[in-house]
Amino acid sequence: MVISPVQLVRPQRFGDTRGWFTEVYSERAFTARGIACRFVQDNHSLSVHPFTLRGLHFQTPPHGQDKLVRCIRGRIFDVAVDVRKSSPTYGDWVGAELSAENGHQLFIPIGFAHGFVTLEPDCEVTYKCSDTYAPNADGGVRWDSAGIDWLMPAGTMPELSSKDTLLPRLADFDSPFVYDGCPLAPLA
C-alpha cells in the first residue's frame, strides 16, 4: 500500500461516564507514521457562517509549512491539492470531513495547497505549522480552480476573504515546490 504524503489521522478516544480523552499529537507516534516535522506555531480560527471557505493557501520556500489540521467545534471539509512541480499527481486533491465529533486530523505537507469549507455555523479550526507565518512567502491558488467538490449545495457561493478572491488560478500558477518522488494517494 502506498502511503500518501497527505494523511488522515484518526486519534483513538478513550471514554467513560465523564467523557473522553485523546492524544492529538505525539512526536513518537507521528514519526512512526512517517511524519517527522517539528511544529513551531499553532493557529486557531473561528468561522461564524456556514460555507465560509478559507483557501487554498500555502507558504513558499524557504518558509513552507507542514500543517496538522483539526476541527474542534462544528464540521468542515478539509482539502489538500498537490502543487509540486513535475508531480504525476499535480493538481489532484484529497479531502476529508473533520469535526469535533469524529476528532480526525489531516496532515498536509509542504508542497500542497490547503483549504477548508465550513459545513455548519460557528466552526473552530486549530492547526499546527512547521514554520512561522512569513508574509513575503504567503501564497495560494483560487478555491474554484482545482476541480474540488466542496460539498456545498448546488448554487451556493461560499463566503470568501477579499484576499482569496484575488488568488491566481491553478492553471496560471508557477509552482516553486519540488516533487519529492511520493505521489498523492487516496486517504486511507
Side-chain angles (χ1 to χ4, degrees):
M1 178 166 111
V2 175
I3 295 179
S4 181
V6 176
Q7 293 187 42
L8 183 61
V9 179
R10 297 176 179 95
Q12 188 175 2
R13 286 184 174 172
F14 303 93
D16 59 25
T17 57
R18 300 169 295 166
W20 53 261
F21 167 84
T22 189
E23 185 177 87
V24 295
Y25 178 75
S26 160
E27 184 176 41
R28 180 178 13 162
F30 275 68
T31 300
R33 292 181 67 110
I35 300 171
C37 61
R38 179 176 166 257
F39 293 115
V40 298
Q41 179 175 310
D42 280 7
N43 297 331
H44 186 158
S45 71
L46 166 67
S47 298
V48 175
H49 304 288
F51 311 118
T52 295
L53 197 148
R54 296 177 184 260
L56 297 160
H57 303 147
F58 50 76
Q59 282 195 176
T60 57
H63 298 288
Q65 293 178 321
D66 298 299
K67 295 177 181 176
L68 180 63
V69 182
R70 68 189 185 118
C71 181
I72 61 170
R73 182 166 62 152
R75 290 182 314 125
I76 66 169
F77 184 62
D78 202 38
V79 174
V81 179
D82 189 348
V83 292
R84 298 168 299 163
K85 191 177 284 190
S86 302
S87 170
T89 54
Y90 184 88
D92 290 355
W93 63 274
V94 293
E97 184 176 301
L98 308 182
S99 69
E101 185 177 328
N102 71 23
H104 296 171
Q105 301 175 84
L106 196 62
F107 173 75
I108 302 154
I110 295 168
F112 289 81
H114 169 248
F116 65 86
V117 65
T118 61
L119 301 176
E120 55 189 57
D122 299 319
C123 289
E124 289 188 64
V125 174
T126 64
Y127 56 100
K128 295 182 166 305
C129 298
S130 64
D131 201 342
T132 55
Y133 177 66
N136 60 330
D138 193 24
V141 294
R142 278 185 56 96
W143 68 277
D144 59 352
S145 66
I148 298 166
D149 176 2
W150 286 103
L151 305 184
M152 294 184 293
T156 301
M157 182 62 182
E159 186 158 335
L160 302 165
S161 71
S162 56
K163 172 186 136 182
D164 287 352
T165 64
L166 301 175
L167 293 172
R169 299 187 60 75
L170 180 61
D172 301 325
F173 173 60
D174 183 20
S175 179
F177 298 103
V178 178
Y179 178 59
D180 60 2
C182 189
L184 181 63
L187 297 174

